Amino acid sequence: MNISLKILDNLRESYGIFISDKLKISDGDCGRGVFSSAVIEQSELLISVPIDALLTTRKAQHVVESHKSARQVLQNFSTCLNGTDLLVCALFLELENEENSKWSAFLSSIPNQLWNPFMLDEKELNLLTAKCRLPSKCFKQKIKISTEFLKALGFEINEEILNWCFSVVLSRSFGGSSERCETRNHFKIEIDNSANFCLCPAIDLINHEKEYNCEYRWNEDKTAFQVFSRKKILQGQELFVNYGTTKSEYEIYNFYGFVLPSDDFQVEFELQRIRKSIYDDKKIDFLTSQLDMVFAMEKLDSSDYFITSLKVSADLRRLANRVGQILEKEGYKIIYQILFERFIKNKSQNNNLASAENRVIEVFLDCKTSEKNNSEAIKTKSLISFSDLTRNS
Ligand SMILES: C[S@@+](CC[C@H](N)C(=O)[O-])C[C@H]1O[C@@H](n2cnc3c(N)ncnc32)[C@H](O)[C@@H]1O
């Protein structure tokens, strides 16, 4: 069976989650997401997750407490472990349980590779401006609490796995303080009296957009967390929710590790970081020649195309994403560098330096997010085909 269908079926079977037959998981412009496989009418119920299927902080605490010697260790940590730490530790412990975990279907529905800025090293973080750097620095400190707690329980800590658990909680949890969650997520969950902070299988597969076509609702009668369509959704369209209409782009970046392409986005912090990065000249020369070859194949002049593309950033983003994917890990940095240098060379032709610069950074950030999200998909992708790019331009 197709792996995406299997993910949805496992979630249905393991937790009694209702997931409309009109939904499927696919890769799109924002990485993996949920798409419609048939027309969806306005106000259709698309996903309904019963309360038992929510991994709340209270349940996370039970997971942690059920570990031998945990109670005593918990006493020593009682003043510093909060809901986030409990969820992080519970995920870590459930991963150790593998197939025996109640949450194995949920865990295997989450991508193996996640990325958040807190994973940047100290040197890189210090290159960001304070507004962007501080939350990630705090998250770096916060992980230390879970690390110490799990060590006290006798576990050897694999940093990569713990980072993954932390990233899951940052980018896939719902709720928060009841006052904030009403405005952020358009719902208010009162579970276990106070523990309105949880992970939610299935619903966490939906990506974020400012113009969203779906919304969350907490159904008090059914005690279920649900997703409804806000408008008609055509076959093949992606479902989007809004992770928080009052969230700043900095919050989105720090919690979810991506940035929405938008004209007014202040990305100077990334620019600062990249300008100070050190590049290997030979590598850039080699990759530049590869990029030129690609342009030549498509009979495009790269610098002209680049200047034009600044005005049609969606196309440029798509192009850079593809090239970034082919060049894998370092791809996005190199593309950024190449594009930026070409832009500087040609800047006399363009009188709006700041907005063009921002567009280039958008491209860079998109490549980065896409590279991280699609790392599995990338492996199977063959060489660049520009057919859809040219079709759309
Ligand atoms: C709640 S998950 C959404 C589902 C996720 N894409 C998946 O494959 O499981 C949140 C993560 O999805 C990605 N994401 C969501 N909305 C996005 C967007 N508009 N652009 C880029 N990435 C997005 C980010 O990696 C974010 O941390």
Side-chain angles (χ1 to χ4, degrees), residues 30 32 111 171-172 204-208 243 256 258 260 369 373:
C30 307
R32 193 184 71 163
S171 64
R172 309 177 86 90
D204 71 345
L205 296 168
I206 305 176
N207 286 325
H208 162 93
Y243 292 172
Y256 303 96
F258 72 90
L260 285 178
T369 311
N373 280 342

Side-chain angles (χ1 to χ4, degrees), residues 45-290:
L45 174 64
L46 299 172
I47 305 180
S48 182
V49 182
I51 193 166
D52 283 350
L54 299 177
L55 177 48
T56 61
T57 46
R58 186 67 56 91
K59 286 181 204 156
Q61 188 170 349
H62 290 320
V63 169
V64 171
E65 280 176 352
S66 65
H67 190 272
K68 62 178 172 6
S69 74
R71 276 181 188 273
Q72 202 184 339
V73 179
L74 266 171
Q75 273 176 5
N76 300 335
F77 282 79
S78 61
T79 52
C80 56
L81 280 182
N82 70 5
T84 302
D85 307 309
L86 286 170
L87 284 174
V88 171
C89 293
L91 287 176
F92 184 92
L93 295 171
E94 291 300 293
L95 281 174
E96 292 275 316
N97 268 341
E98 297 179 355
E99 299 301 306
N100 297 326
S101 162
K102 169 185 172 178
W103 302 103
S104 76
F106 169 51
L107 292 168
S108 51
S109 74
I110 305 173
N112 294 336
Q113 304 279 333
L114 296 177
W115 187 85
N116 284 79
F118 78 82
M119 294 173 189
L120 293 169
D121 62 30
E122 286 289 340
K123 201 170 133 230
E124 285 176 307
L125 271 180
N126 285 335
L127 294 173
L128 303 178
T129 54
K131 211 169 170 188
C132 200
R133 173 177 72 233
L134 293 179
S136 285
K137 283 217 159 189
C138 293
F139 295 153
K140 257 189 186 322
Q141 291 302 318
K142 187 102 185 84
I143 297 176
K144 289 187 183 157
I145 298 174
S146 310
T147 309
E148 289 311 313
F149 176 71
L150 290 165
K151 273 188 184 163
L153 287 185
F155 287 96
E156 262 188 44
I157 300 303
N158 174 325
E159 198 186 336
E160 220 175 285
I161 294 181
L162 204 65
N163 279 351
W164 184 88
C165 297
F166 199 80
S167 190
V168 169
V169 178
L170 282 187
S171 64
R172 309 177 86 90
S173 54
F174 294 84
S177 78
S178 49
E179 181 200 329
R180 281 206 80 192
C181 76
E182 270 187 304
T183 50
R184 277 163 68 193
N185 290 334
H186 320 287
F187 74 96
K188 179 176 171 183
I189 311 179
E190 289 291 347
I191 313 160
D192 306 341
N193 299 324
S194 62
N196 55 5
F197 181 49
C198 63
L199 291 166
C200 177
I203 292 184
D204 71 345
L205 296 168
I206 305 176
N207 286 325
H208 162 93
E209 254 302 341
K210 273 191 189 145
E211 299 296 318
Y212 48 110
N213 50 18
C214 293
E215 66 190 4
Y216 310 124
R217 284 186 211 159
W218 174 246
N219 186 324
E220 198 59 59
D221 297 336
K222 296 211 156 60
T223 55
F225 188 31
Q226 304 182 321
V227 169
F228 285 84
S229 52
R230 300 175 79 219
K231 51 174 92 158
K232 187 170 177 169
I233 302 172
L234 302 180
Q235 181 179 358
Q237 284 185 330
E238 179 163 1
L239 273 62
F240 287 109
V241 284
N242 192 299
Y243 292 172
T245 46
T246 59
K247 275 197 182 119
S248 72
E249 53 270 67
Y250 293 97
E251 278 181 278
I252 295 279
Y253 180 68
N254 274 293
F255 280 82
Y256 303 96
F258 72 90
V259 177
L260 285 178
S262 103
D263 288 342
D264 55 1
F265 179 52
Q266 296 299 305
V267 278
E268 91 294 340
F269 54 87
E270 280 295 341
L271 184 61
Q272 194 181 356
R273 182 164 84 80
I274 301 311
R275 277 184 178 144
K276 288 182 184 168
S277 299
I278 301 150
Y279 291 96
D280 175 339
D281 286 346
K282 279 199 187 131
K283 203 171 186 180
I284 291 177
D285 283 350
F286 170 70
L287 292 167
T288 307
S289 66
Q290 285 210 332

